[in-house]
Amino acid sequence: LEETAAAAKAKIYENLAEGAVLKGTIRSLTEYGAFVDLGGVDGLVHVSDMSWNRVSKPGDLVSVGDTVDVKILKINRDTKKISLGMKQLTPEPWSQVAAKYAVGQRIKGHVVRLTDFGAFVELEPGIDGMIHVSEMSWSKKIRKPSDILKVGETVEAQVLAVNPGEKRIGLGLKQVLGDPWEDASAKFPVGQVCEVKIGSLTKFGAFVNVTDEVEGMIHIADITHEKRLEHPNEALTVGQMVKVVVLELDKDRRRLRLGMKQLEPTKTDEFIAAHQPGDTVTGRVVEVH
């Protein structure tokens, strides 16, 4: 019986060829793949060859007893090992990326993974795009992607780059929100006074949140007339609300320069407030023309 079974198995091996597509039955599952009964001999579908999409474990995709279509990838006639594939029966997703995704296109996907430098978004099974942390906000200083995104969240993004050869799609999140600096000139003309919150302090000045997406800067020299400051923290604290005036706006460089001392009354203002036309005053001659 053993000799007969061995002969039958050897005959099956002889009739198998690499590239052939067969039907088989899932006989057992392991952490690294699934063994498939091809009608007397077993082949292995490695977990990486089950789907173009990520598969954590074979049991997520198939169960013992399932009938599946498989392609023979490799036959080792010396060791009697047969490598099978399931994903090879469907087109490789990246082969169709150039025709489906174009720069400037807006697409939706869900966040599948976060790293220190960005977020990976699944656009379809087997196709992920990446939003770099620098493309998440126009002005907010985002330390890590998890500050604004979470795994499983559905997001809309704009395609920034497509490279099928390297299997990369660059995405932008901030582009779909609209550039807040486009209409900043109309919202914050030079001379406009507004109230803002101190966001952070540096040696040379204070950064303030004019809006959620637009940040302005008060240079240390524009904080007060009263005294020369060595550091902004001598006059300001993070979170403090202050009144400022717009001194300069550069949309191209995304810079909004603000001032506080310009709203403080000067000695001239105080003198004018204390005197009326017709008052007699005394003074000292400082220059003659």
Side-chain angles (χ1 to χ4, degrees), residues 19 24 42 72 127 132 156 189 224 230 256 280 285:
D42 286 351
I72 299 177
I127 300 295
H132 193 271
E156 183 178 12
T224 182
E230 296 296 328
L256 181 62
T280 300
V285 177

Side-chain angles (χ1 to χ4, degrees), residues 133-149:
V133 66
S134 63
E135 301 296 346
M136 292 184 178
S137 173
W138 288 106
S139 58
K140 282 183 179 178
K141 293 180 176 63
I142 300 174
R143 292 177 299 173
K144 53 184 185 298
S146 58
D147 289 341
I148 61 172
L149 294 175

Side-chain angles (χ1 to χ4, degrees), residues 206-224:
F207 287 93
V208 301
N209 304 313
V210 181
T211 69
D212 288 342
E213 294 291 340
V214 176
E215 191 175 60
M217 198 270 283
I218 309 169
H219 192 273
I220 188 171
D222 291 315
I223 293 177
T224 182

